[in-house]
Amino acid sequence: MNLEGRKIIVNKSSKELSELLKSPENYKDFMPDGLQKFETRDNGFKFGLQGMPEIALKIDEVDEQKAILKSASSSLDFSLTATLNPISENQTEVQMLFEGKFNPFIKMMVEKPLQNFINTLTDKIELYK
């Protein structure tokens, strides 16, 4: 299952954004309303949203072109990638891409909430100062 967020322009360099996305504690600022739990870990974080199970993510790779988060659970196989495309010295185009391997039943249950989550992350990153 692949999902895409809309492409946005962020008024930060790709270097600034990559530095921001290396720190687990910074992801709290991008979480949707209804966040009930947020815990940082060595190389990732765990969060819980109202009406959804808790999700643990590890920061797998971050550079000036991308930030890749992967599931920290062996029972779920997915990744969330933010592509960082420099437009100018102080502007970067960002797009969120989700890739997951789910059976058809799970896919049917999670596709809409995941798309909403990606849309909210995109909105929060776009408005980030």
Side-chain angles (χ1 to χ4, degrees):
M1 178 174 80
N2 296 322
L3 300 171
E4 293 183 5
R6 63 188 172 87
K7 291 182 179 179
I8 58 169
I9 305 298
V10 178
N11 291 320
K12 290 193 180 301
S13 70
S14 60
K15 182 174 176 32
E16 284 177 282
L17 278 174
S18 65
E19 288 302 314
L20 181 78
L21 296 173
K22 284 179 184 174
S23 299
E25 58 272 2
N26 291 334
Y27 286 86
K28 186 173 185 178
D29 295 334
F30 306 130
M31 290 290 124
D33 297 335
L35 182 67
Q36 294 190 316
K37 180 179 186 174
F38 189 89
E39 235 173 65
T40 59
R41 297 174 168 198
D42 287 346
N43 65 339
F45 56 94
K46 182 178 188 177
F47 69 96
L49 299 173
Q50 193 170 346
M52 290 183 65
E54 289 182 6
I55 298 171
L57 295 171
K58 62 181 179 188
I59 299 171
D60 189 58
E61 180 183 348
V62 179
D63 60 34
E64 291 185 30
Q65 283 82 45
K66 66 190 166 311
I68 301 173
L69 303 176
K70 290 195 173 180
S71 170
S73 166
S74 56
S75 61
L76 293 174
D77 184 11
F78 69 87
S79 65
L80 182 62
T81 302
T83 61
L84 309 176
N85 182 18
I87 293 176
S88 69
E89 201 174 291
N90 295 316
Q91 284 192 320
T92 305
E93 180 186 74
V94 178
Q95 184 178 27
M96 302 299 293
L97 306 170
F98 177 90
E99 187 178 319
K101 294 179 179 80
F102 302 120
N103 68 44
F105 179 72
I106 298 291
K107 179 185 178 201
M108 186 178 72
M109 287 179 24
V110 301
E111 191 166 15
K112 187 173 181 181
L114 276 173
Q115 187 65 59
N116 291 339
F117 178 68
I118 290 167
N119 293 344
T120 300
L121 285 178
T122 300
D123 293 344
K124 297 260 182 156
I125 291 169
E126 187 175 35
L127 298 172
Y128 192 76
K129 301 291 180 217

